[in-house]
Amino acid sequence: MEKLVIEGGVPLRGTICVSGSKNAALPILFAALLLDGPVTFHNVPRLRDISTAVAMLGVLGCPAGFTDDKGHTIRAEAGRLLPEAPYELVKTMRASVLVLGPLLARLGRARVALPGGCAIGARPVEQHTRALEKMGAVLELDSGYIVGRCDRLRGADITFDFPTVGGTEHLIMAASLAEGDTFLRNAAREPEVVDLADFLNACGARISGQGTDTVHIRGVSGLRGETYSIMPDRIEAGTFLAAAAVTGGDCDIAGCPVEELTAVMAKMGEMGISLEPHENGVAVHRTGPLRGVDMTTRPYPGFPTDMQAQLMVLMALAEGSSTVEEKIFENRFMHVPELSRMGADIKLSGSRAVIRGVRQLTGAPVMASDLRASASLVIAGLAARGKTQVQRIYHLDRGYEGIERKLEQVGARIRRERDEG
Ligand code: EPZ
């Protein structure tokens, strides 16, 4: 295993470039299963989760891969598809369950491992399966696998119990090749859902309403391969905004999406962070003290749960008290005990955290538990006095491309080491 060793206290200065969005790239890669013909994706981040998705596509008969060993372009072409998504791959990345709908749409049958939970929650998928059944799929659970079959999926009028991101993406893919019209109501409005729909429309799908709470998909008989560029990663960008701000630095986050980060930028502005959008990114700096704020995570366009752990580090060093209500996941405070080991003053009660700002955090060995908790520990290490060792950074490598290289380029004292621990 590996760890990151960070000597904190250096204000970050310079330009950090944002990579392509992991959470847009994953469903878009799986959408390659729907296409007749080769497809090329640009601006794909080089991440562990992307490698898992590429492996999954290969197992399903849709060979995919980066076109060179440094670039960010993936080429894929669905051949004779196979119906089985094995547990060994699904258990490493639960988003793999999204292949179920495309396989049913193309083959009329599928055997996809039911994803387990993860550190942040049970993460069931009943919204996905109920909706697919409404479209005519017959789904059974057999030894931990969802076994599905159908004739041709039929368009349906579906209302989600809540705006599920994966559920919306899953059903957009399944409905694209269904017979007739599908309406997804109470749909997720996240930018990554919009990017998927825009990609499928480029391939000949007939989707409208993406980005609103009602998505209308008119099924078509086939989709062609196209070339498409993945949107920038708004959560990676937000993570770097927090890192620059917490160190009292002065950075330019190049490629930072602005419209897709309004809730995050508004909250950071309330804390006294200066954010100046410009034509190809956002300039971020902080000179004065951080101010405590209250924040609740909500579906888009509310404050994103994927930025909750990162903002909490800013709160831990702010003047006064702050509160966090985590409304999306039932167990997304795994970073709190680790931040407390660095001197943060955080009290938890159910889905609520109360944070009392302290003057300084102190470096310590800490343990990553999930992707965004790991990011918050890196941010805390950058701000803390002394040395921080963030262990089990395979969690971090799932969603941040070369994070230590990007941070080192703006002055951070950070290095990756083998971890014998
Ligand atoms: C996506 O997960 C993202 N992952 C998550 O990012 C993100 O936190 C989440 O959306 C919310 O924005 C990807 O896009 C790959 P949901 P997803 O379906 O689709 C519950 C990261 O750090 N739920 O909107 O799984 C679920 O358990 C990751 O990059 C059901 O109960 O999110 C959760 O509590 C973490 N039944 C809530 O709804 C269902 O059928 C939101 O889930 C589906 C979801």
Side-chain angles (χ1 to χ4, degrees):
M1 289 210 259
E2 296 181 306
K3 62 187 174 185
L4 286 180
V5 180
I6 304 165
E7 292 287 345
V10 179
L12 304 184
R13 293 203 194 320
T15 298
I16 305 180
C17 294
V18 175
S19 297
S21 164
K22 165 179 87 81
N23 289 350
L26 290 174
I28 287 176
L29 280 169
F30 290 141
L33 295 166
L34 296 166
L35 310 180
D36 301 311
V39 62
T40 300
F41 301 119
H42 294 303
N43 199 35
V44 182
R46 298 186 82 101
L47 301 169
R48 279 183 66 232
D49 275 5
I50 298 295
S51 306
T52 304
V54 164
M56 177 63 79
L57 286 172
V59 162
L60 296 174
C62 178
F66 282 103
T67 52
D68 62 50
D69 60 1
K70 287 264 183 298
H72 294 91
T73 296
I74 281 189
R75 195 176 175 285
E77 179 163 9
R80 199 171 64 76
L81 295 180
L82 301 168
E84 175 147 341
Y87 179 58
E88 291 63 41
L89 282 175
V90 175
K91 72 180 177 186
T92 60
M93 185 182 68
R94 29 182 338 287
S96 313
V97 72
L98 296 183
V99 303
L100 174 62
L103 291 173
L104 290 171
R106 297 272 283 175
L107 295 178
R109 63 197 176 97
R111 190 168 186 274
V112 175
L114 183 67
C118 70
I120 62 178
R123 304 193 68 185
V125 290
E126 87 291 339
Q127 300 295 308
H128 304 227
T129 51
R130 277 191 208 145
L132 289 170
E133 286 169 334
K134 260 196 109 169
M135 296 185 71
V138 176
L139 304 178
E140 283 150 6
L141 189 58
D142 170 29
S143 318
Y145 279 75
I146 305 171
V147 180
R149 57 187 164 74
C150 65
D151 299 326
R152 188 173 178 197
L153 290 173
R154 296 185 308 274
D157 196 320
I158 294 157
T159 300
F160 291 117
D161 291 351
F162 51 82
T164 157
V165 172
T168 304
E169 292 166 342
H170 201 164
L171 272 292
I172 284 175
M173 289 194 277
S176 294
L177 291 179
E179 180 82 45
D181 286 24
T182 296
F183 290 90
L184 303 179
R185 303 184 195 282
N186 200 14
R189 299 167 51 186
E190 271 70 3
E192 295 76 22
V193 174
V194 174
D195 213 25
L196 170 67
D198 291 351
F199 164 63
L200 286 170
N201 279 343
C203 298
R206 299 177 64 198
I207 304 164
S208 56
Q210 58 269 36
T212 75
D213 63 2
T214 302
V215 182
H216 178 199
I217 305 108
R218 294 177 180 78
V220 296
S221 55
L223 294 167
R224 61 182 178 277
E226 283 295 342
T227 295
Y228 193 78
S229 192
I230 305 293
M231 65 174 279
D233 193 315
R234 62 191 171 103
I235 303 300
E236 184 201 23
T239 303
F240 289 131
L241 290 175
V246 83
T247 59
D250 189 344
C251 284
D252 194 51
I253 313 301
C256 177
V258 174
E259 264 157 57
E260 295 84 353
L261 270 179
T262 49
V264 170
M265 292 172 67
K267 200 49 76 176
M268 289 184 172
E270 277 180 54
M271 298 189 78
I273 297 164
S274 162
L275 298 167
E276 288 137 38
H278 53 74
E279 60 187 302
N280 64 1
V282 173
V284 47
H285 71 276
R286 176 174 68 87
T287 44
L290 289 166
R291 294 189 292 267
V293 290
D294 297 327
M295 181 273 282
T296 300
T297 64
R298 288 196 177 88
Y300 192 86
F303 192 95
T305 174
D306 290 352
M307 275 298 299
Q308 178 256 104
Q310 298 92 311
L311 197 87
M312 197 181 275
V313 182
L314 294 170
M315 293 168 161
L317 288 164
E319 287 182 346
S321 287
S322 302
T323 61
V324 169
E325 281 290 343
E326 172 52 64
K327 294 283 190 192
I328 307 293
F329 289 103
E330 66 266 31
N331 186 33
R332 204 168 197 178
F333 287 139
M334 305 279 279
H335 43 290
V336 170
E338 299 304 302
L339 293 175
S340 303
R341 299 188 61 246
M342 299 176 72
D345 178 352
I346 306 172
K347 300 270 181 305
L348 292 181
S349 164
S351 65
R352 180 180 170 81
V354 178
I355 303 103
R356 283 192 177 70
V358 295
R359 212 176 45 75
Q360 187 152 53
L361 295 176
T362 305
V366 290
M367 191 79 76
S369 54
D370 59 87
L371 171 55
R372 305 304 174 182
S374 323
S376 80
L377 298 178
V378 171
I379 294 171
L382 293 169
R385 177 173 51 79
K387 182 163 87 169
T388 297
Q389 302 190 34
V390 182
Q391 298 165 3
R392 298 189 181 174
I393 53 164
Y394 58 87
H395 291 290
L396 199 63
D397 292 336
R398 295 189 57 171
Y400 290 93
E401 181 180 14
I403 190 167
E404 73 273 19
R405 179 171 34 80
K406 293 189 179 184
L407 289 169
E408 211 173 14
Q409 282 169 355
V410 288
R413 289 183 302 226
I414 182 170
R415 65 181 184 279
R416 182 181 290 251
E417 288 184 1
R418 286 196 59 68
D419 186 9
E420 310 314 327

